[in-house]
Amino acid sequence: NAGVTQTPKFQVLKTGQSMTLQCAQDMNHNSMYWYRQDPGMGLRLIYYSASEGTTDKGEVPNGYNVSRLNKREFSLRLESAAPSQTSVYFCASSEKGRGEKLFFGSGTQLSVL
Amino acid sequence: QKEVEQNSGPLSVPEGAIASLNCTYSDRVSQSFFWYRQYSGKSPELIMSIYSNGDKEDGRFTAQLNKASQYVSLLIRDSQPSDSATYLCAALGSGTYKYIFGTGTRLKVLA
């Protein structure tokens, strides 16, 4: 049971570089989410996808783009990384998205220098 | 007011005591609430969910929802050092698929 798989686990970027964080779930879940977690800030929603083919902005979408490639995969792209994007990123999924448990990936520690 | 608010702590309790964690919410969230536990360096995991007014018990954990006062609580009975973690309160945004988290309360159970 892989659950939610995120890659990479660690990444160091220079300011202005781009990268894509990958997320895949094998639970046939409809909804997928990207959160960032900073000290003292809790989990803040970046983008989410209620179902395949749809994406919506969360609380902190600026500087990010997402793609719901298919039902399994939901990627997060940083086009031009900034030091303010240094954070731990979590991908999550839920079966139906409303009122149901979130399953989290193991996280990506991203540092932007 | 933020949609979901928690005291960041740390909350320190002796082993065997009851730990009480609280969370308040605004009118911008729906009536679905969740408590997640997060160990340092790990991802959050669900402990309890509660949707109706009143108490819901699961082992040593009890979630309480008071809609009139707009707060949700998590009680941990017979606290153990292994309960030391950050506890995140979450709610579903009204009419959305967005799960909104509080900033988390760090709990320390002292042996």
Side-chain angles (χ1 to χ4, degrees), chain A residues 31 33 35 37 40-43 45 48 50 57-59 90 94 96-102 104-106, chain B residues 3 30 32 34 36 38 41-46 51 88 92-93 95-104:
Chain A
S31 301
Y33 305 79
Y35 286 90
Q37 187 171 37
M41 301 292 287
L43 286 163
L45 182 62
Y48 69 103
K57 295 178 181 179
E59 303 169 68
F90 287 102
S94 71
K96 295 180 183 177
R98 290 190 60 82
E100 298 203 4
K101 173 183 177 180
L102 286 175
F104 284 87
S106 58
Chain B
E3 286 119 325
S30 71
S32 298
F34 309 85
Y36 286 82
Q38 186 177 26
K42 302 295 185 183
S43 54
E45 55 179 340
L46 183 72
Y51 309 107
L88 299 162
L92 193 61
T96 76
Y97 288 79
K98 299 180 185 182
Y99 290 86
I100 301 164
F101 285 79
T103 54

Side-chain angles (χ1 to χ4, degrees), chain B residues 81-99:
Chain B
S82 58
D83 294 324
S84 297
T86 295
Y87 290 80
L88 299 162
C89 175
L92 193 61
S94 292
T96 76
Y97 288 79
K98 299 180 185 182
Y99 290 86

Side-chain angles (χ1 to χ4, degrees), chain A residues 11-75:
Chain A
Q11 183 72 48
V12 178
L13 294 177
K14 294 181 180 178
T15 297
Q17 287 185 317
S18 63
M19 78 160 295
T20 300
L21 280 64
Q22 306 286 354
C23 176
Q25 50 90 10
D26 62 0
M27 297 172 283
N28 201 36
H29 285 173
N30 287 306
S31 301
M32 298 185 73
Y33 305 79
W34 276 106
Y35 286 90
R36 61 177 288 175
Q37 187 171 37
D38 304 292
M41 301 292 287
L43 286 163
R44 291 185 292 168
L45 182 62
I46 304 171
Y47 271 94
Y48 69 103
S49 171
S51 61
E52 186 179 357
T54 67
T55 60
D56 283 287
K57 295 178 181 179
E59 303 169 68
V60 288
N62 292 344
Y64 305 95
N65 286 302
V66 290
S67 295
R68 183 76 183 265
L69 304 169
N70 48 54
K71 192 171 185 180
R72 290 187 63 247
E73 298 172 287
F74 188 39
S75 62

